[in-house]
Amino acid sequence: MRHSNARDVWLLLGGMLVGWVVMIESHEFGHLIGGWVSGATLVTVDLAPWRLPYSIHAPDPNPLVTLWAGPVLGVLVPVTTAMLLGHRFAWFLANFCLLANGTYMAVGWFAGDAQLDSSRLLQNGTPAWLLGLYCFATIPLGYHRFRRDCIHLLSPAMNDRSDDAI
C-alpha cells in the first residue's frame, strides 16, 4: 500500500515533536536525578514541554554532577531504552536525542548565556575540551543516525512496508 508524501512528512514532524519532548524531559530528569544523588536541595522545577524545562538546586554541593547528569542521562536513557526495545521508533527518538542534546550543548556554549548548561558547566570547572568532546561525540553520531532514520522514513520502499513504520 502506497502512502502519500504528505503523510510521511506528518509522521516525521510528529516523530520529531515526540522526540523533542523525550529529549527535554529526559535531559531535565537527568538534572533532577543528578541533584538528588549529589545531595542538592531542589528549590523549583518546571517540566512543561512547551517551554524549556528547568530545575534550580540550592544549595548544590556538587553542581558538576547535577549539571552533567542532564546531558548524559538525556542521551543514555533514550539510547538504553531503544536498545532494550529494539524498535525503529525508539531508535528514531534516541537518535534525535543524541543530536538534540549535543546541539543544545554546543549552541549554549557559543551563545554564552549564563543560565544555559554549557556556560554553567564551564563556570563550575568543566574543561572546555570535555564539553567539546561531548558535543563531538553526540552531534556527528546523532546527525548520521537521525538523517538515516529520516531517509528511511521518507523513502518509497519504507512506504510499502507498514510493519516497520515509525
Side-chain angles (χ1 to χ4, degrees):
M1 178 175 158
R2 177 81 174 117
H3 302 294
S4 72
N5 288 338
R7 181 180 183 273
D8 297 338
V9 170
W10 281 111
L11 277 173
L12 178 63
L13 292 175
M16 289 174 64
L17 179 62
V18 172
W20 174 255
V21 172
V22 169
M23 187 282 288
I24 62 175
E25 297 300 330
S26 63
H27 182 108
E28 200 57 44
F29 274 106
H31 289 310
L32 293 172
I33 291 168
W36 175 70
V37 166
S38 67
T41 301
L42 181 63
V43 175
T44 187
V45 64
D46 184 351
L47 299 173
W50 50 87
R51 56 182 170 255
L52 280 180
Y54 65 90
S55 54
I56 298 174
H57 298 84
D60 190 349
N62 198 343
L64 287 177
V65 172
T66 304
L67 290 167
W68 270 115
V72 170
L73 291 178
V75 166
L76 287 180
V77 168
V79 168
T80 302
T81 302
M83 289 171 64
L84 292 172
L85 296 177
H87 191 272
R88 178 168 298 283
F89 185 63
W91 277 111
F92 176 89
L93 297 175
N95 295 331
F96 180 90
C97 289
L98 270 169
L99 177 59
N101 270 286
T103 303
Y104 165 68
M105 297 302 285
V107 168
W109 185 3
F110 289 109
D113 185 323
Q115 298 304 310
L116 296 178
D117 292 347
S118 301
S119 296
R120 293 179 60 209
L121 281 164
L122 295 170
Q123 292 165 2
N124 283 283
T126 293
W129 67 264
L130 185 57
L131 185 56
L133 181 63
Y134 176 87
C135 295
F136 185 73
T138 55
I139 294 171
L141 179 61
Y143 173 77
H144 170 74
R145 294 179 59 92
F146 184 67
R147 181 179 182 273
R148 185 195 62 208
D149 291 341
C150 292
I151 290 169
H152 180 77
L153 174 66
L154 297 173
S155 72
M158 172 63 193
N159 295 327
D160 293 335
R161 295 191 338 248
S162 62
D163 62 320
D164 251 356
I166 156 175

